[in-house]
Amino acid sequence: MRSFPRSAALVAAALTTILVACGTTAPVSPTARGTDASPPAPSASASADPAAAAAYGTAICPLFDRIVNLDPRLAAIRAAGDEGGDMTGYEDELSALADELRDIVNALDEVPTWGPGRRLQLEIMGTLHLIRAELLSINEDLTAVDTADAMAALPYIASQTMDREMARAVEGGLTCGTDE
C-alpha cells in the first residue's frame, strides 16, 4: 500500500468536511480536494432514495463524532514520537486507541449500504484499520530503537480521497443534523 504524507491543513480540512456533514456551519476548504475543487455530481439514483440516505446518515454520523474525538489523541501520539525519548509510558493509550479504532471499524461495517456513501465508508474503514495496525505494531515493543519514529509517522485519518468521497456523499444527500 502506498502512503502519502499528509499535512495538518489537510487533516483540518477533512475534519471540517466531516463536521459540516454533521450539521455544523464550518466552511469546507476546496483546497483539501487538490486541484479539482468541485465535488462530484450526485447520481440520479442517489437522490432517488431519501430513506436509504437517512438510514445511512443515522448509522454513520455518530461514528464521525467518535473519529473527530480520536484525532487529538492520535496527534498527541505523533507529537510524543516527534519529541522522542522513553515511549514506554504510552502503552495504555496505544492499546486504548487500538481498541476504539477496532470498535469504530466494526460499527462502520454495520452501516447500511448506500451508493453515494459506500466508498466513503470503505475509505474510512481502511484508513482506521491501517492506523490500528500501526498502533498495535508499535505497542509490541515500546523499547525498540525506532518506536519514536514510528509514532511520529503514524498515518493521518484525513486524505484527499476521503474528502472527495465525503463530498460525494453530501452531494448525494448525506446530512448529519444536530437537532435530531
Side-chain angles (χ1 to χ4, degrees):
M1 174 177 229
R2 199 169 131 191
S3 67
F4 298 96
R6 295 179 181 97
S7 68
L10 182 59
V11 172
L15 291 176
T16 300
T17 304
I18 289 172
L19 292 172
V20 168
C22 292
T24 67
T25 57
V28 177
S29 168
T31 58
R33 288 187 205 96
T35 57
D36 180 14
S38 61
S43 67
S45 63
S47 47
D49 193 355
Y56 178 88
T58 297
I60 204 166
C61 291
L63 300 176
F64 292 155
D65 291 335
R66 290 174 66 184
I67 292 166
V68 168
N69 289 330
L70 280 180
D71 196 61
R73 293 171 62 196
L74 293 169
I77 295 296
R78 283 186 213 96
D82 280 338
E83 292 173 10
D86 181 12
M87 299 293 121
T88 57
Y90 290 92
E91 181 177 7
D92 291 342
E93 178 65 354
L94 293 172
S95 291
L97 281 166
D99 289 348
E100 179 69 10
L101 288 165
R102 179 202 58 225
D103 294 346
I104 294 171
V105 169
N106 289 340
L108 281 163
D109 194 42
E110 299 298 319
V111 171
T113 300
W114 176 61
R118 183 65 177 158
R119 290 188 354 207
L120 171 64
Q121 180 182 354
L122 294 173
E123 180 72 21
I124 295 170
M125 289 172 70
T127 299
L128 297 184
H129 180 71
L130 172 64
I131 294 169
R132 181 174 186 270
E134 290 293 326
L135 290 171
L136 291 172
S137 177
I138 292 166
N139 215 15
E140 285 179 0
D141 184 5
L142 291 172
T143 62
V145 174
D146 64 344
T147 297
D149 291 339
M151 287 172 58
L154 194 65
Y156 287 90
I157 296 171
S159 70
Q160 290 180 341
T161 302
M162 191 179 302
D163 193 38
R164 184 178 55 249
E165 294 308 324
M166 175 61 82
R168 183 185 318 271
V170 169
E171 288 293 317
L174 173 63
T175 59
C176 296
T178 57
D179 55 300
E180 299 173 334

